[in-house]
Amino acid sequence: MKARLDAIDWHILKELQDDGRMTNVELARRVGISAPPCLRRVRALEEAGLIHGYRTLLDEKQLGYDVTAFAMVGLHSQTEADLIAFEETVKSWTIVRESYMLSGEVDFLLKCVAPDLQSFQNFIIRELTAAPNVDSVRTALTIRCTKDEPVVPISLS
């Protein structure tokens, strides 16, 4: 069931996506309500699971992660137990930043960041292709990021 949100809830979500560090007083000012009910609404949105958390987005290149690549993984078996086992293995790999189970010819798409090409190659050869149930791996190195919008599109009418 989709959440039932009013215009103020939507406005709160949009403002927090744009700047999750603002104070509750500033958030309340931006959405046009007083601070106590704003805080209650934010807590209700958190408790309902609409807000998963707050984080700071870092520039990986400036921190020494020069390689961003994708690995397309095919598995031998797609039984539920095998899928769960692979997902658990993926969670242990720090080089993998995002993982998606897909339909079609590829079972998983992994977004990886690494300090250099050698580190990424070592991961592919020593860990990913050696993992249980992995049948095939294809990789693609990124040339540049042309869009990075890690937020949900919210338009306020």
Side-chain angles (χ1 to χ4, degrees):
M1 181 174 95
K2 291 187 180 177
R4 292 188 181 150
L5 305 174
D6 65 15
I8 293 173
D9 292 329
W10 281 106
H11 200 167
I12 287 171
L13 292 173
K14 178 164 184 0
E15 292 295 335
L16 286 175
Q17 273 196 146
D18 292 344
D19 181 5
R21 290 189 68 195
M22 79 178 80
T23 66
N24 181 61
V25 171
E26 176 61 17
L27 177 60
R29 186 192 66 72
R30 290 186 189 186
V31 300
I33 61 176
S34 63
C38 183
L39 185 58
R40 282 193 297 274
R41 283 176 177 258
V42 170
R43 288 194 175 135
L45 293 166
E46 291 169 346
E47 289 170 11
L50 290 157
I51 298 174
H52 289 254
Y54 302 87
R55 59 180 63 153
T56 301
L57 301 174
L58 305 176
D59 185 317
E60 64 265 7
K61 302 282 189 233
Q62 290 194 49
L63 294 170
Y65 294 92
D66 290 330
V67 173
T68 301
F70 291 90
M72 292 144 280
V73 181
L75 302 178
H76 290 291
S77 167
Q78 292 80 23
T79 66
E80 188 66 19
D82 289 331
L83 293 171
I84 291 169
F86 182 74
E87 290 169 345
E88 290 304 313
T89 301
V90 167
K91 289 176 186 176
S92 73
W93 292 326
T94 57
I95 198 169
V96 177
R97 305 316 308 152
E98 296 177 45
S99 173
Y100 299 90
M101 186 186 330
L102 306 176
S103 64
E105 294 181 27
V106 174
D107 295 312
F108 285 87
L109 177 66
L110 309 179
K111 180 183 177 186
C112 305
V113 295
D116 51 48
L117 186 56
Q118 188 64 51
S119 298
F120 177 66
Q121 288 173 327
N122 289 342
F123 164 72
I124 295 298
I125 293 165
R126 296 179 186 159
E127 296 184 60
L128 183 54
T129 58
N133 196 30
V134 171
D135 179 45
S136 63
V137 175
R138 292 181 307 169
T139 61
L141 296 173
T142 62
I143 296 171
R144 70 174 157 248
C145 178
T146 58
K147 184 174 182 179
D148 183 12
E149 291 286 334
V151 296
V152 175
I154 297 175
S155 61
L156 302 175
S157 306

